Amino acid sequence: MKILGWLTVLMCGALLIFNVSEFPDMGDANSPANSKQNLSEYFLKKAYHDTKVPNVVTAVLADYRGYDTMYETAVIFSAGLACFFLLRIFRKKGPKSRFYRHTPTGVTLRIDEGGKLPEESDVFKRIDSIWIPHDNIVRITCRLVVPFIQIFALYVIAHGHYSPGGGFQGGVLLGASIILIAVSNNLRAGIQRMSEKGAALMGSAGVLIYAGTAALCLLLGSQFLNYNALAKLLHIKPVVARYNGILIVEIGVALAVMAVMVWIYYNLSSAGKHDEGL
Amino acid sequence: MDMALILAKANYWGYVILLLIGLYALISKNNLVKKIIGMVIFQTAVILFYITIAVKKGGNIPITPHGKGYVVEAANFMNPLPHVLMLTAIVVGVATLGVALALAIKVYKQYGTLEEDEINAMIREQ
């Protein structure tokens, strides 16, 4: 197998290396992909005129290539579902023994099955069964950083029309903020902020917002995903309707991406048990 | 092959090297997690390739100014299309990585190992 691997890699490598000299130079404005009279030129020249969105990437993503992005969102959602169905284990009983830390003294208690569990408070904190060091600095730093990450994520989503950004990036940032809570405290703290049910609902709501906007255009007597049709509903000019349609769709994408990132993390980090994890 | 040729196409060399590393890991590595890492390196190579295609010398990011009577000269802006394609590819790459790791966890639960030859031996014994 090793020899076969080397052989394949060497043959592919030889082909690629012989052909690198055929590639256009870096930054060549006349290369086939960048040359005049192709689709990119049309996008650059007409995107603002067609959609009133200066960021051409956003305009292409959510309008010209709207179908692509819609199914991309569906792919992400089905990846989340796949992780859920592969890994999730529903068990009524928790682990046999639980560990609590008495915060003022730093003493760790192990309470076996049947023992009386102390109430979760500032004094007694439940910890994972693997050894957990004291983590005040990490926890408090993360708690300070998380709101700023979330505000920045909202800015990235809302300002995607005018600056680099949009639904995918903002959604990943929002997901990362919740994953940061789960990493810096423990998995249960993350699930407390955003439950599994919430993640599933938000993921499907995101896909539904996208597909629903597209279907609404169809119902209003236009083509699927042709946001011009929203003009009748919102009483605005068709171009502005395109602008707003892109925004609605980006919000749907952000919801779906955020929920799925968090959902995949919950399932992977605890191998589907959702009680102890990273 | 002189130095200028290598430097003018530096990104393409990087793409070829990353692609080959990923391909080798995908084919020859015995450990499933290493195979998954190879897959991610392969994806990174493709992303680097697309982004390199989009570069124009002296070009700006593809956000067009929109004053009255402003005419967009396409040569002054990066090619937006590869950026769009890679934007979605990155996020979908993360999602597929999640599914791949979930499958690896499932395999580990079933067989107690992630080494491919050991798993194959166990399957043959059954």
Side-chain angles (χ1 to χ4, degrees):
Chain A
M1 205 59 196
K2 275 255 148 75
I3 301 163
L4 206 65
W6 271 114
L7 210 67
T8 319
V9 169
L10 282 179
M11 272 160 60
C12 274
L15 272 176
L16 282 169
I17 287 165
F18 278 127
N19 285 312
V20 163
S21 57
E22 302 286 325
F23 283 131
D25 282 349
M26 271 270 293
D28 185 3
N30 295 318
S31 65
N34 293 337
S35 64
K36 302 249 164 174
Q37 267 132 42
N38 62 13
L39 210 53
S40 309
E41 172 128 352
Y42 176 85
F43 288 151
L44 278 169
K45 283 197 166 153
K46 289 288 163 81
Y48 186 70
H49 176 256
D50 286 346
T51 62
K52 285 273 178 276
V53 177
N55 186 352
V56 184
V57 173
T58 303
V60 177
L61 181 86
D63 198 332
Y64 294 110
R65 292 182 66 84
Y67 271 100
D68 182 27
T69 313
M70 187 175 85
Y71 287 113
E72 213 86 69
T73 317
V75 164
I76 292 166
F77 182 63
S78 16
L81 274 183
C83 276
F84 172 76
F85 284 125
L86 276 171
L87 290 175
R88 189 78 171 101
I89 304 163
F90 291 100
R91 265 193 301 184
K92 289 213 174 98
K93 273 189 194 169
K96 277 199 178 127
S97 49
R98 290 185 172 191
F99 292 81
Y100 286 84
R101 175 180 282 147
H102 185 242
T103 325
T105 56
V107 175
T108 307
L109 302 171
R110 194 185 81 186
I111 292 166
D112 284 332
E113 216 173 353
K116 189 171 178 284
L117 299 171
E119 279 189 20
E120 201 125 340
S121 64
D122 285 346
V123 184
F124 283 105
K125 244 184 64 193
R126 195 181 157 194
I127 54 176
D128 288 354
S129 52
I130 51 166
W131 183 73
I132 302 283
H134 289 273
D135 53 355
N136 284 337
I137 294 174
V138 175
R139 260 190 311 114
I140 289 168
T141 313
C142 290
R143 202 160 66 194
L144 284 177
V145 167
V146 161
F148 293 104
I149 296 179
Q150 287 176 341
I151 286 174
F152 183 65
L154 292 178
Y155 161 76
V156 165
I157 297 168
H159 214 254
H161 287 41
Y162 295 97
S163 62
F168 282 101
Q169 298 92 318
V172 168
L173 274 170
L174 276 176
S177 70
I178 293 192
I179 290 175
L180 187 63
I181 292 174
V183 170
S184 63
N185 291 284
N186 49 43
L187 191 65
R188 292 177 301 277
I191 290 176
Q192 228 170 35
R193 303 301 198 287
M194 185 171 171
S195 65
E196 186 192 23
K197 221 177 242 171
L201 278 175
M202 278 164 106
S204 34
V207 179
L208 194 71
I209 287 174
Y210 202 138
T213 313
L216 190 64
C217 300
L218 195 68
L219 287 177
L220 287 169
S222 190
Q223 294 100 333
F224 197 69
L225 267 173
N226 187 356
Y227 309 126
N228 274 350
L230 297 176
K232 286 180 217 158
L233 205 68
L234 301 169
H235 301 294
I236 42 181
K237 275 192 268 174
V239 179
V240 186
R242 261 177 194 285
Y243 179 97
N244 287 320
I246 291 172
L247 185 64
I248 295 167
V249 157
E250 291 270 19
I251 290 168
V253 169
L255 269 181
V257 169
M258 168 185 116
V260 168
M261 290 295 139
V262 173
W263 202 10
I264 287 179
Y265 173 78
Y266 287 166
N267 278 324
L268 281 184
S269 66
S270 64
K273 291 193 204 81
H274 284 215
D275 56 349
E276 289 184 354
L278 275 173
Chain B
M1 196 141 325
D2 53 0
M3 205 61 200
L5 179 67
I6 294 175
L7 283 180
K9 301 181 196 308
N11 275 25
Y12 292 111
W13 290 113
Y15 142 72
V16 167
I17 291 164
L18 280 179
L19 194 86
L20 293 179
I21 292 171
L23 190 64
Y24 176 75
L26 267 175
I27 295 171
S28 313
K29 284 293 166 194
N30 204 18
N31 190 306
L32 290 180
V33 172
K34 285 182 184 170
K35 268 186 200 279
I36 293 170
I37 293 172
M39 186 184 80
V40 175
I41 296 174
F42 199 96
Q43 272 174 2
T44 314
V46 175
I47 290 168
L48 178 64
F49 177 63
Y50 268 75
I51 294 302
T52 307
I53 281 178
V55 175
K56 284 177 196 165
K57 212 162 237 164
N60 211 337
I61 52 171
I63 296 173
T64 51
H66 44 277
K68 246 193 182 163
Y70 183 86
V71 181
V72 175
E73 187 57 55
N76 293 338
F77 295 97
M78 300 282 180
N79 193 343
L81 196 54
H83 290 216
V84 175
L85 298 176
M86 288 310 104
L87 181 69
T88 49
I90 290 168
V91 180
V92 171
V94 171
T96 50
L97 174 66
V99 176
L101 288 174
L103 282 170
I105 290 174
K106 206 70 187 163
V107 167
Y108 187 79
K109 268 186 189 162
Q110 181 80 26
Y111 294 101
T113 174
L114 283 173
E115 302 294 325
E116 205 185 7
D117 50 355
E118 291 172 22
I119 294 167
N120 280 341
M122 275 184 223
I123 291 171
R124 278 193 205 99
E125 273 171 26
Q126 281 169 5

